[in-house]
Amino acid sequence: MAYSGSRRVQNLPPYLFARIDRLIEEKKAQGVDVISLGIGDPVEPTPDHIIEAHIEALRDPENHRYPSYTGLRAFRVAAARWMEQRFGVSLDPDREILPLIGSKEGIAHTPWALVNEGEVVLVPNPAYPVYETATLLAGAEPYHLPLLEENAFLADVRAVPTDIARRATLMFLNYPNNPTSATADLAYFSEVVEWARENGILIAHDNAYSEITFGSYAAPSILEVEGARDIAIEFHSLSKSYNMTGWRIGFVAGNADAIDALGRLKTNIDSGIFNPIQYAGIEALERGAADIAAMVRIYERRRERVWAFLDRVGLQYWKSDATIYVWVRVPDGETSESFTSYLLERAGVVVSPGSAYGHHGEGYIRISLTVPDSRLEEAVSRLESVL
Ligand SMILES: *Cc1c(COP(=O)(O)O)cnc(C)c1O
């Protein structure tokens, strides 16, 4: 028997990095020392005190058993305290916070838990691909919210046609944004909350980059908007903030009914997060502020290097005060993919083609700052020599 997968799986959009991946393999086979600026995955280690908290919890046999579906109460309390200290948002740790096996897991299950087949889900484009694939897997219909440079990459919800707004039950948003690096202020979130309320649409805001911000800029939580918790949930991730991508831990905060539905779905799928990982998470949330500050200084330095290089070669880019990405316009006459291929072919440097995040990403590439400084220097000098 040959198994080609269910229609559900077959209907997933093609994996757009496939061609680039093939090119990378070819280059490596030719002995080229390929440098990847394509992936947003911190290379610095998880801070020691977080690892120590994990090891200590690991030695307690109580922690080797099935964890609770709703997570350790101590983790939910730590998350609620962090939301209070960071954003001034006070949440009930038992009803308005749910730990997740990485925020991706919660995002992927959200349409399934909260949207019926045939309903519309508003999905930014370009975007983190999970919003759209999760929508499709739930049998719902994605409707794209274009993120355009002329709107500072903010989704214009007022431009959504009335009939679509009427059929929509969920919308995804993500600021600070991957891949464009754009940020949103509270005035924007207020507008979206008002519009979502008028139309009865649940907002799922992905705040994975809330802590990776530069200068005096601090990213807000959508839950700071008056009444937002009636209509919004927000995803938080420990991955990018504390160099914990491999640990798989995050949480969702906000509307209690939506969180209850997500929790009910999850009890039928997973069995929670390994307790020692939650103890590491508590340590990060309670005592990780200095680690974030240190990482932000590193990204800030790398971002300056990349900006200076782009200025020298005359490439346009979005000047943002957040995220680990630089969103760059490709030169005239190039597409996202042709320019990506050119840089790989000529310089052995991998970037992400903007089109991989949706068709409105066409005409851009994304440069990630998650490479060691010395590799970034090498990449920049190679790129400069071919541009
Ligand atoms: C990295 C990333 C995530 C995933 O975070 P995890 O908590 O590691 O699952 C979610 N959203 C966006 C936009 C991301 O870039």
Side-chain angles (χ1 to χ4, degrees):
M1 269 300 271
Y3 294 99
S4 49
S6 63
R7 272 191 299 280
R8 195 180 300 117
V9 164
Q10 285 179 39
N11 288 343
L12 287 173
Y15 179 61
L16 281 159
F17 288 96
R19 242 182 72 176
I20 303 289
D21 281 351
R22 225 172 21 246
L23 270 176
I24 295 171
E25 286 318 310
E26 267 172 45
K27 281 277 138 195
K28 285 187 176 161
Q30 291 163 16
V32 175
D33 169 29
V34 174
I35 303 177
S36 177
L37 308 180
I39 295 167
D41 187 356
V43 286
E44 284 72 24
T46 303
D48 269 337
H49 64 108
I50 296 174
I51 295 173
E52 290 306 327
H54 175 69
I55 292 173
E56 199 186 314
L58 211 43
R59 296 198 193 284
D60 181 353
E62 250 327 282
N63 288 329
H64 301 170
R65 307 179 61 209
Y66 279 121
S68 152
Y69 287 120
T70 54
L72 289 169
R73 186 156 202 284
F75 180 82
R76 296 197 309 272
V77 167
R81 282 212 186 109
W82 184 83
M83 289 294 291
E84 168 85 56
Q85 280 162 10
R86 175 63 180 79
F87 303 110
V89 172
S90 88
L91 296 156
D92 176 350
D94 298 324
R95 298 175 60 248
E96 295 176 311
I97 301 266
L98 181 69
L100 298 171
I101 311 169
S103 62
K104 180 181 186 179
E105 176 264 300
I107 291 166
H109 285 139
T110 289
W112 206 9
L114 288 149
V115 176
N116 293 305
E117 288 178 20
E119 290 175 0
V120 168
V121 176
L122 306 176
V123 175
N125 182 310
Y128 183 59
V130 183
Y131 313 139
E132 176 145 346
T133 52
T135 297
L136 294 170
L137 288 172
E141 189 186 313
Y143 180 86
H144 293 151
L145 301 171
L147 304 190
L148 306 175
E149 189 163 346
E150 70 222 47
N151 298 333
F153 301 109
L154 295 171
D156 180 5
V157 288
R158 300 271 167 200
V160 174
T162 323
D163 61 312
I164 297 291
R166 204 173 299 128
R167 289 172 53 215
T169 48
L170 174 70
M171 75 180 290
F172 283 105
L173 271 191
N174 163 224
Y175 296 102
N177 184 259
N178 176 12
T180 69
S181 78
T183 57
D185 60 16
L186 267 185
Y188 173 78
F189 284 143
S190 300
E191 236 176 80
V192 175
V193 165
E194 189 189 326
W195 180 84
R197 193 192 292 282
E198 284 163 24
N199 290 284
I201 298 170
L202 176 72
I203 302 167
H205 180 238
D206 179 355
N207 213 346
Y209 295 96
S210 67
E211 303 316 290
I212 314 294
T213 59
F214 309 115
S216 58
Y217 178 72
S221 161
I222 199 168
L223 299 175
E224 289 175 53
V225 175
E226 182 81 29
R229 84 183 65 192
D230 298 340
I231 200 94
I233 54 176
E234 184 167 82
F235 293 95
H236 286 272
S237 169
L238 278 66
S239 290
K240 314 299 184 347
S241 310
Y242 307 101
N243 302 336
M244 291 180 79
T245 49
W247 295 70
R248 314 311 304 133
I249 184 161
F251 62 91
V252 59
N255 185 270
D257 296 332
I259 286 177
D260 181 62
L262 180 58
R264 266 193 287 159
L265 175 73
K266 276 167 56 57
T267 56
N268 290 285
I269 296 172
D270 64 67
S271 298
I273 308 163
F274 188 40
N275 282 350
I277 294 176
Q278 294 187 66
Y279 282 109
I282 294 168
E283 176 69 19
L285 290 168
E286 289 182 346
R287 279 174 288 277
D291 306 305
I292 293 174
M295 279 314 301
V296 162
R297 279 195 297 276
I298 292 174
Y299 293 133
E300 201 160 24
R301 190 172 69 223
R302 290 182 193 155
R303 184 187 66 151
E304 296 301 328
R305 296 281 156 81
V306 170
W307 283 9
F309 145 71
L310 294 168
D311 289 338
R312 286 197 300 275
V313 298
L315 286 176
Q316 307 281 314
Y317 55 95
W318 188 251
K319 282 205 160 162
S320 154
D321 279 324
T323 79
I324 49 182
Y325 308 112
V326 184
W327 188 239
V328 184
R329 252 203 268 168
V330 304
D332 284 345
E334 297 275 358
T335 63
S336 295
E337 197 158 339
S338 72
F339 194 51
T340 299
S341 303
Y342 174 83
L343 299 178
L344 178 56
E345 195 60 49
R346 298 288 302 277
V349 173
V350 180
V351 298
S352 297
S355 51
Y357 303 91
H359 60 280
H360 290 289
E362 178 52 52
Y364 296 88
I365 55 162
R366 191 195 74 175
I367 292 177
S368 170
L369 304 173
T370 55
V371 278
D373 289 2
S374 59
R375 295 295 275 169
L376 188 66
E377 290 298 334
E378 167 74 16
V380 162
S381 82
R382 284 197 217 163
L383 290 172
E384 201 156 355
S385 70
V386 304
L387 287 170

